[in-house]
Amino acid sequence: QLKTELEDLDFRILNPELYEEIESELPVPRKELEEMLHETMDEISELLRDNNISFDIKCRVKSVNSIDNKFRNGHTWKNIYDILGIRIICEEIPDCYLIIGLIHSKYKPIPKRFKDYIAMPKNNSYQSLHTGIYGPENLPLEVQVRTKEMNEIAEHGVASHWSYKEHGT
């Protein structure tokens, strides 16, 4: 999070016009996006608690720097589906699939936006379920669901994960 904040501050200072242009083209002001996202996160949290699932949950609005990187890689506003993001960390693999099912029963899935990196991990051992849903005000929202172990690998890499498992720290 600190890295993201520093990158955005740097971007704002070095490219103020582009920074303001990207911010102004967000579907609604960032503050409103954050409020809507937190409301959706609260709804999902309630849904998971009602189904007795143990979880941690985080959310974020994509940074200006990350949006600019998407543009540099050929994306347009029409094909960026992760301006809003929620990540759910659970205990066991079956919980991951149950959570996706519950989310799809409450929110309309975006066609062709489901990816199962648990059944088919990436070459770097990354595992997670990703889905796109129509969230607040029908805006696209990416949801990632993974176990604590998968999250350790995703955030700190395979080597640190092995060290963590071996030493318990």
Side-chain angles (χ1 to χ4, degrees):
Q1 187 177 355
L2 180 60
K3 174 185 172 285
T4 300
E5 287 180 38
L6 289 172
E7 287 173 344
D8 256 19
L9 285 170
D10 179 56
F11 193 91
R12 180 183 238 165
I13 291 166
L14 296 176
N15 298 297
E17 297 86 14
L18 183 55
Y19 183 94
E20 290 305 320
E21 180 183 333
I22 291 171
E23 277 286 306
S24 70
E25 290 184 26
L26 288 170
V28 296
R30 183 173 292 274
K31 187 78 171 160
E32 288 180 45
L33 286 173
E34 289 171 355
E35 290 169 5
M36 292 187 305
L37 187 55
H38 281 279
E39 288 174 18
T40 305
M41 187 175 73
D42 290 344
E43 290 174 5
I44 290 173
S45 294
E46 184 178 343
L47 177 67
L48 300 182
R49 280 192 298 271
D50 288 349
N51 284 275
N52 300 313
I53 297 172
S54 177
F55 67 95
D56 290 318
I57 189 167
K58 305 173 189 177
C59 68
R60 62 100 182 107
V61 177
K62 195 167 204 66
S63 71
V64 172
N65 187 58
S66 291
I67 294 169
D68 183 59
N69 286 337
K70 289 257 184 180
F71 291 151
R72 290 176 192 272
N73 288 322
H75 292 270
T76 64
W77 284 107
K78 289 182 181 179
N79 63 9
I80 299 177
Y81 295 96
D82 64 344
I83 299 284
L84 303 177
I86 290 178
R87 179 172 299 144
I88 302 166
I89 313 297
C90 59
E91 298 293 328
E92 303 290 333
I93 290 174
D95 293 338
C96 295
Y97 291 98
L98 176 58
I99 290 167
I100 289 290
L102 290 168
I103 288 171
H104 283 173
S105 70
K106 183 170 179 73
Y107 300 93
K108 183 179 176 185
I110 299 172
K112 300 179 183 175
R113 298 303 307 167
F114 176 74
K115 295 180 181 134
D116 186 344
Y117 296 118
I118 293 176
M120 295 175 288
K122 291 187 174 187
N123 290 336
N124 64 359
S125 300
Y126 176 85
Q127 290 184 289
S128 185
L129 297 177
H130 293 197
T131 191
I133 59 170
Y134 292 103
E137 294 192 24
N138 221 28
L139 294 172
L141 187 157
E142 182 182 70
V143 179
Q144 298 177 355
V145 183
R146 59 180 76 139
T147 65
K148 289 179 182 178
E149 188 174 337
M150 291 171 196
N151 193 59
E152 179 67 28
I153 291 170
E155 292 193 356
H156 305 291
V158 175
S160 65
H161 172 71
W162 288 336
S163 176
Y164 168 82
K165 290 297 276 188
E166 189 173 307
H167 299 102
T169 59

